[in-house]
Amino acid sequence: MSALTPPTDMPTPTTDKITQAAMETIYLCKFRVSMDGEWLCLRELDDISLTPDPEPTHEDSWEDLTDLVEQMRDDTEDPNYLMANERMNLMNMAKLSIKGLIESALNLGRTLDSDYAPLQQFFVVMEHCLKHGLKAKKTFLGQNKSFWGPLELVEKLVPEAAEITASVKDLPGLKTPVGRGRAWLRLALMQKKLSEYMKALINKKELLSEFYEPNALMMEEEGAIIAGLLVGLNVIDANFCMKGEDLDSQVGVIDFSMYLKDGNSSKGSEGDGQITAILDQKNYVEELNRHLNATVNNLQAKVDALEKSNTKLTEELAVANNRIITLQEEMERVKEESSYILESNRKAPKQDRTSEGQALSEARKHLKEETQLRLDVEKELEIQISMRQEMELAMKMLEKDVCEKQDALVCLRQQLDDLRALKHELAFKLQSSDLGVKQKSELNSRLEEKTNQMAATIKQLEQSEKDLVKQAKALNSAANKLIPKHH
């Protein structure tokens, strides 16, 4: 610090010189850009006092001023401080571009294409957000920074993104990673899944750390805020023709003039704000209604599949029951035949036994075969009984699942009816607000007509007053002329 301190014989700068330098600086930069709600506003620098201060009485005033300058320089040169400012600025620009795109798209009321200026600016802002804090990768051509690498990770986190990644790789006109990243953003917006993909990517900080610095926008809270803001873009219908569009050589420059407005300009009327809010609610309800309809259709398809499976299991259970009854009848027949053979052997005389030894051995052999057959039939019967019990248990579980799905379906239909009633109510409010606006405009026109009539009447009265004044002056002059004659 001693090297910056001037010698004692050198004159110290006075406050007048500092004030003059400040005046010159403010003359060159008369306005500052600040956030006012959801706009970038230009404001005059009228809050800086430029009156000369009294001369300092202590000797080390130059050292204090030098210390202050050094401290300000250290703060502005701090990398963390600069990165935090960049993150905040990018988040504000993303907020402005998303809101402006949604408002202009709703007012336009049609499908947007690639030539729409607010849409182009949105992609430029998103490109800057994805490039913030990227690590430079060394290749044989030199260092390269591209946000296509993080976007390729999305297909591992969300399987639905694999189709977009494959489509981008198949496009013949794309030769650089930057062009592929731009094409990926456009396809994700057309699919209305950009917010979902960005949230899935931001939640995996351990994967992003390979591509981004620790204090990059995608690694901090601002990235999560931007991902949440992207949900509003689901109400926009976009259509891009990717073939033939040169995405590799486009220059991404943010046009701040689209988001600037005078700080002293008046805000929109309260009635327009209410109509905009009602339209936003209507679009949200329609989007939610569409999702509920898709869920109801999926549940109905599952219920139909369960009913078909239930019918098939019932048929198989009936066949198994018939098989079990047949086996039981056959087992009873075998028991009767075996008992009859044993009883006949007991009652036969001794002389017959010797003469019919061969027949007895054959009968015993037949009995063994019948016994073995009976054991096999019993085993098969036990297997059929266990299968029947399992099918009955499966039937009960399926019936319980069907009941739960039907209850859920009833609840969803009730919610759908409520949403439809809310939609009708919002439509009625919108019609009533439109009618109120028409009535106000008619009343305003009538008041203007009456004002014009009153102005015309006032002019006529002023003219008549002037005429009366002229007549009075003429009468006075005539009276003055007559009075001397009488004298």
Side-chain angles (χ1 to χ4, degrees), residues 152-169:
E152 279 188 301
L153 297 176
V154 179
E155 63 176 346
K156 299 180 181 178
L157 305 175
V158 184
E160 298 176 1
E163 182 181 355
I164 295 179
T165 306
S167 300
V168 170
K169 292 180 180 179

Side-chain angles (χ1 to χ4, degrees), residues 212-436:
Y212 289 99
E213 300 291 341
N215 51 2
L217 183 138
M218 296 292 289
M219 302 291 289
E220 296 292 339
E221 183 180 359
E222 289 82 359
I225 295 174
I226 293 174
L229 293 173
L230 292 174
V231 178
L233 297 179
N234 292 337
V235 301
I236 295 177
D237 294 327
N239 187 14
F240 304 109
C241 182
M242 308 301 295
K243 294 182 179 180
E245 188 173 359
D246 187 11
L247 298 177
D248 294 326
S249 60
Q250 288 184 1
V251 180
V253 179
I254 301 177
D255 185 8
F256 293 97
S257 63
M258 297 178 61
Y259 312 109
L260 286 173
K261 88 170 187 180
D262 189 5
N264 299 323
S265 63
S266 61
K267 298 181 179 180
S269 62
E270 184 178 358
D272 295 338
Q274 292 178 353
I275 293 175
T276 304
I278 291 173
L279 289 174
D280 294 339
Q281 292 177 2
K282 179 184 177 184
N283 293 326
Y284 172 74
V285 169
E286 289 179 352
E287 185 72 16
L288 187 59
N289 189 9
R290 185 174 63 83
H291 286 294
L292 287 176
N293 286 329
T295 305
V296 169
N297 293 329
N298 292 331
L299 289 175
Q300 188 67 37
K302 290 181 180 179
V303 169
D304 294 338
L306 288 174
E307 288 179 353
K308 292 180 180 179
S309 178
N310 189 8
T311 305
K312 185 177 180 181
L313 289 175
T314 305
E315 294 176 355
E316 292 179 356
L317 182 60
V319 173
N321 289 331
N322 295 329
R323 178 64 176 167
I324 290 170
I325 293 171
T326 305
L327 291 174
Q328 287 177 351
E329 292 176 353
E330 188 175 356
M331 187 176 64
E332 292 294 333
R333 183 179 59 80
V334 171
K335 284 181 179 180
E336 291 177 357
E337 291 179 355
S338 61
S339 61
Y340 175 74
I341 292 171
L342 292 174
E343 189 66 26
S344 61
N345 290 332
R346 289 175 184 177
K347 293 181 180 180
K350 293 180 180 180
Q351 60 274 13
D352 293 335
R353 292 178 183 176
T354 56
S355 61
E356 295 179 356
Q358 187 177 359
L360 182 60
S361 61
E362 292 179 359
R364 287 177 179 176
K365 185 179 179 181
H366 183 67
L367 179 60
K368 288 181 180 180
E369 292 177 356
E370 293 291 339
T371 304
Q372 186 64 32
L373 181 61
R374 177 186 174 185
L375 293 175
D376 295 339
V377 169
E378 288 179 352
K379 288 181 180 179
E380 187 175 358
L381 181 61
E382 290 177 356
I383 293 172
Q384 294 292 335
I385 290 172
S386 62
M387 290 177 62
R388 178 181 178 182
Q389 291 176 353
E390 291 178 357
M391 284 189 290
E392 289 178 353
L393 181 60
M395 285 289 297
K396 290 180 180 178
M397 293 178 66
L398 286 174
E399 289 176 356
K400 183 179 178 181
D401 193 9
V402 168
C403 292
E404 292 177 356
K405 297 295 183 183
Q406 288 178 352
D407 294 338
L409 186 60
V410 170
C411 294
L412 288 174
R413 285 177 178 172
Q414 183 65 31
Q415 292 179 3
L416 183 60
D417 294 336
D418 296 339
L419 288 174
R420 287 175 178 171
L422 180 60
K423 179 181 177 181
H424 291 308
E425 184 179 355
L426 290 174
F428 178 73
K429 288 184 179 179
L430 181 62
Q431 292 177 358
S432 62
S433 62
D434 292 338
L435 183 60

